[in-house]
Amino acid sequence: MNQISKITVSVNRRSYPWPQVPAIAICLDGCEPDYLDAAIDAGLMPTLKRIRKNGTERTALSVIPSFTNPNNLSIATGRPPAIHGICGNYLYEPQTGKEVMMNDPRFLRAPTIFKAFHDAGAKVAVVTAKDKLRALLGKGLTFSEGRAICFSSEKSDQTTKQENGLDNASSWLGRPVPEVYSADLSEFVFAAGVKLLKEFRPDIMYLTTTDYVQHKYAPGVPEANSFYEMFDKYLAELDAMGAAVVVTADHGMKPKHKADGTPDVVYVQDLLDEWLGKDKARVILPITDPYVVHHGALGSFATAYLPEDADREDIMARLSEIDGIDLVLSRPEACVRFELPDDRIGDVVMISSENKTLGTSEHRHDLAALNEPLRSHGGLTEQRVPFIVNRKLPELQSAASLRNFDAFYYAVVAAAQPVG
Ligand SMILES: [Zn+2]
């Protein structure tokens, strides 16, 4: 008979029980809840179907902007961007006029749950599809004691014991490095997770995928269904090995194109240039990253820095009038409502409607590479995500406002339950 451990780990003013079995959170990038429903209806996810019935199923709200990095870091820290600081892929420094990539660990302001558990003596493993997240998620981990592993599928042939806790993860797993734009990049994450659970037996494990498939394919289409069918097989293995598993997502995904298949975009920089003069205001799209092939840097969240002499109220009123812009907030309003770091947000925040995106200037978006009608995210209409636990958790059923960044809390709560 197992005793519930009295040890707890405190990080970012939340207290986590010590897991008695491995506690795993899986972030299915861009997993609009409809993807799971469609794949289950098609009979392709028997494991998840059983888990939804016998475990606990909820939906949760993601962080706004409903982008990948802010949500992954919220899941990793258990807190919103106001605490951890990562509110997009880019930030703008008005003092220097420079746009700076925010994927350097120095921008992360809070310790991760992985570091806190590792420091308390736990074994931790983190596998991410894209390497852009690896350094942020791995911040503060040390690999010399052999209790931490952190790597990406993308750079899995370049891992070392010193930097990642494992030499050449690609040959360790017996899988070649996948293409960066592929479903394989995510499958590699799941396969690595299964092997790590078997051989390394981490106390805490985070598996986070890429939304390449979800940007291209709608729920229920064969390519999407086969992605979730593939996931279900790995989920079955993780579940069978006795781990407590929480399945959630960083954000949903919605079609953002016109009837003819071309992207539906409000070009905000062009508007502000027209109203205030060329380049007087600066529009920042925090979705922008080096991998733009699947979304053309078009999402549903934008922030703008206005010139000092601009009439903010007037600009906000005019933006609110634009068809497709659903919400316009001042910096203070946005930072309170969405718990954002106010030193990394512009004067105005805009969110577009379900089927529209926000762009800078028309000529700056290279849409030639988009080979499917645009699907994207970033706004309130992509905030609802799955939250499924392979255990019965009465305390979760009554949680009033569940967030995706509660994933590790409920994973360790489930993993701290007495076995049997
Ligand atoms: Zn994402």
Side-chain angles (χ1 to χ4, degrees):
M1 194 162 68
N2 282 6
Q3 293 284 307
I4 294 178
S5 171
K6 292 285 183 286
I7 304 170
T8 59
V9 173
S10 289
V11 54
N12 302 322
R13 286 177 281 140
R14 292 184 80 169
S15 190
Y16 296 78
W18 194 266
Q20 300 298 304
V21 295
I24 303 175
I26 299 174
C27 177
L28 297 175
D29 199 324
C31 188
E32 186 69 30
D34 285 355
Y35 282 110
L36 300 179
D37 294 337
I40 286 173
D41 288 350
L44 301 173
M45 301 192 82
T47 303
L48 193 71
K49 185 179 180 180
R50 173 175 53 77
I51 287 174
R52 289 216 297 199
K53 189 156 157 273
N54 301 336
T56 309
E57 186 195 8
R58 292 283 303 271
T59 55
L61 292 181
S62 82
V63 159
I64 296 289
S66 48
F67 290 141
T68 300
N69 284 15
N71 277 284
N72 268 275
L73 273 301
S74 282
I75 293 168
T77 60
R79 301 285 275 163
I83 305 295
H84 62 69
I86 306 297
C87 52
N89 293 332
Y90 270 91
L91 65 85
Y92 177 62
E93 293 180 331
Q95 317 86 289
T96 61
K98 282 193 182 134
E99 290 182 25
V100 187
M101 283 282 282
M102 228 189 299
N103 58 8
D104 189 295
R106 73 190 160 95
F107 293 110
L108 181 61
R109 292 170 166 163
T112 66
I113 294 164
F114 319 127
K115 173 179 162 49
F117 270 92
H118 189 256
D119 289 352
K123 287 167 82 172
V124 303
V126 177
V127 187
T128 161
K130 287 185 188 170
D131 204 61
K132 69 174 180 181
L133 264 174
R134 188 210 25 98
L136 286 168
L137 295 173
K139 185 179 180 183
L141 290 180
T142 51
F143 300 97
S144 54
E145 293 158 65
R147 285 189 292 106
I149 290 176
C150 179
F151 64 89
S152 69
S153 321
E154 184 186 352
K155 299 267 169 79
S156 53
D157 61 342
Q158 295 164 40
T159 69
T160 64
K161 257 202 144 56
Q162 294 77 8
E163 297 287 317
N164 310 90
L166 187 67
D167 281 325
N168 198 333
S170 171
S171 63
W172 164 81
L173 190 57
R175 279 175 176 264
V177 179
E179 286 283 314
V180 85
Y181 297 109
S182 72
D184 293 349
L185 201 72
S186 296
E187 177 163 8
F188 190 107
V189 173
F190 300 135
V194 166
K195 191 168 160 82
L196 285 168
L197 185 58
K198 262 182 211 153
E199 298 180 3
F200 180 63
R201 200 73 184 169
D203 299 293
I204 300 283
M205 181 156 72
Y206 186 44
L207 305 176
T208 180
T209 65
T210 173
D211 56 8
Y212 167 80
V213 167
Q214 291 72 17
H215 271 288
K216 282 171 84 81
Y217 304 110
V221 310
E223 291 87 346
N225 275 353
S226 77
F227 179 87
Y228 291 98
E229 180 182 24
M230 172 274 290
F231 166 58
D232 200 70
K233 296 194 169 109
Y234 292 101
L235 180 63
E237 291 195 65
L238 298 172
D239 181 59
M241 282 188 273
V245 184
V246 172
V247 176
T248 188
D250 53 350
H251 52 79
M253 190 72 74
K254 289 281 161 55
K256 307 270 183 191
H257 56 83
K258 300 180 206 162
D260 67 0
T262 58
D264 205 342
V265 193
V266 177
Y267 289 105
V268 184
Q269 185 72 53
D270 288 344
L271 287 173
L272 294 177
D273 284 357
E274 192 185 313
W275 298 342
L276 295 165
K278 185 150 176 51
D279 295 335
K280 295 285 187 212
R282 180 74 161 254
V283 175
I284 300 293
L285 306 176
I287 193 174
T288 310
D289 73 6
Y291 321 76
V292 293
V293 169
H294 52 319
H295 54 59
L298 292 168
S300 282
F301 180 99
T303 183
Y305 290 81
L306 303 180
E308 264 174 35
D309 58 354
D311 181 344
R312 259 164 233 200
E313 298 290 316
D314 176 58
I315 296 295
M316 286 176 62
R318 289 163 78 171
L319 286 167
S320 305
E321 293 294 305
I322 302 292
D323 180 41
I325 299 183
D326 270 10
L327 187 64
V328 180
L329 298 172
S330 68
R331 177 194 294 122
E333 289 168 339
C335 290
V336 168
R337 177 161 169 186
F338 302 130
E339 300 177 278
L340 296 170
D342 63 5
D343 59 333
R344 294 179 177 175
I345 294 291
D347 299 298
V348 179
V349 163
M350 291 146 274
I351 292 180
S352 66
S353 54
E354 180 165 336
N355 301 121
K356 295 252 190 191
T357 57
L358 301 172
T360 55
S361 302
E362 192 162 6
H363 72 270
R364 285 179 56 194
H365 289 270
D366 177 15
L367 304 180
L370 286 174
N371 48 12
E372 302 279 341
L374 180 67
R375 302 173 53 75
S376 196
H377 53 95
L380 293 165
T381 49
E382 296 83 35
Q383 198 182 10
R384 211 170 62 88
V385 293
F387 197 103
I388 301 165
V389 194
N390 68 342
R391 298 283 195 279
K392 285 227 182 298
L393 278 185
E395 52 273 75
L396 180 56
Q397 294 294 7
S398 61
S401 51
L402 187 65
R403 305 300 303 269
N404 61 349
F405 59 79
D406 297 325
F408 272 106
Y409 178 76
Y410 287 109
V412 293
V413 165
Q417 285 177 345
V419 178

